[in-house]
Amino acid sequence: QHIAFLQNQCVFIPPTELDTLRHPSEKVRVLLTFDDGLRNNADVVAPILRRHRVPALFFVCSRHAQPGKYLWFVYLSALEQYFQGDGFACRGRFVDMTPVGRQASIQWLKEFLLELTPHPQAMYHAIDNELPPLENFASPRTLGERCAGMTAEHIGALAADPLFTIGVHTVDH
């Protein structure tokens, strides 16, 4: 519905046309971009864009293209939403995941992770080695639909489609 609405109001352009001038009487031009390279961009968004023949630019991080690896903010969001249990230990501290303490604990974890050095290596090391794996409490379907990154095959298929452009968004955001 959003794409159909926007097609009536504006003109979608590929990144190669970003620097061309628009005549004042022409519709506003829109370049659609999608950040982070989440798998749902390839599985859900790309088919919709293809159906409507809409170009887009996908900025992809490579860290979460690997099974079991997630971008830090995706990890924290999933931990907050799906963790089952009262909590867990992290660096000698009990991280309270009860309904009363969950939000404050997630905020503490965010601040803790972002302050680790060297950044971002230390942050991802802590996520991978000191915090609960998402696979322990989130279903494979949830992980695939909401947390996982595009695989090399997804990226290759998007790159092969003339409607789409792949942009680099670093390894780990």
Side-chain angles (χ1 to χ4, degrees):
Q1 289 176 332
H2 290 98
I3 296 298
F5 171 79
L6 287 171
Q7 279 184 314
N8 287 327
Q9 305 300 315
C10 54
V11 175
F12 290 107
I13 62 166
T16 54
E17 294 180 24
L18 193 56
D19 61 350
T20 55
L21 295 175
R22 177 181 69 88
H23 188 274
S25 64
E26 291 178 308
K27 288 183 176 180
V28 171
R29 294 178 182 171
V30 172
L31 170 60
L32 282 184
T33 64
F34 295 88
D35 226 5
D36 305 329
L38 290 167
R39 187 170 300 168
N40 61 18
N41 290 180
D43 292 342
V44 178
V45 174
I48 294 168
L49 298 177
R50 282 185 185 106
R51 190 168 49 248
H52 292 278
R53 304 295 308 150
V54 172
L57 173 57
F58 294 87
F59 289 101
V60 178
C61 297
S62 58
R63 173 183 166 76
H64 62 167
Q66 304 170 52
K69 303 291 185 190
Y70 306 98
L71 297 176
W72 69 270
F73 53 90
V74 172
Y75 174 86
L76 285 179
S77 177
L79 184 69
E80 182 175 21
Q81 275 190 288
Y82 303 112
F83 184 82
Q84 300 161 356
D86 290 338
F88 55 88
C90 177
R91 302 239 173 143
R93 175 185 170 140
F94 180 73
V95 180
D96 181 3
M97 294 297 284
T98 63
V100 172
R102 187 170 292 236
Q103 188 174 13
S105 289
I106 294 296
Q107 183 60 38
W108 175 82
L109 274 171
K110 178 181 178 182
E111 292 167 8
F112 162 73
L113 290 171
L114 290 173
E115 289 176 6
L116 292 174
T117 57
H119 186 79
Q121 295 89 347
M123 175 178 64
Y124 283 113
H125 183 270
I127 289 170
D128 292 343
N129 299 293
E130 300 177 46
L131 298 175
L134 295 184
E135 292 78 8
N136 288 359
F137 50 86
S139 72
R141 181 177 178 173
T142 296
L143 292 175
E145 291 177 357
R146 298 176 183 239
C147 304
M150 291 184 206
T151 64
E153 292 77 21
H154 287 116
I155 297 166
L158 290 178
D161 190 320
L163 276 176
F164 304 135
T165 304
I166 303 295
V168 181
H169 199 34
T170 73
V171 170
D172 50 33
H173 200 276

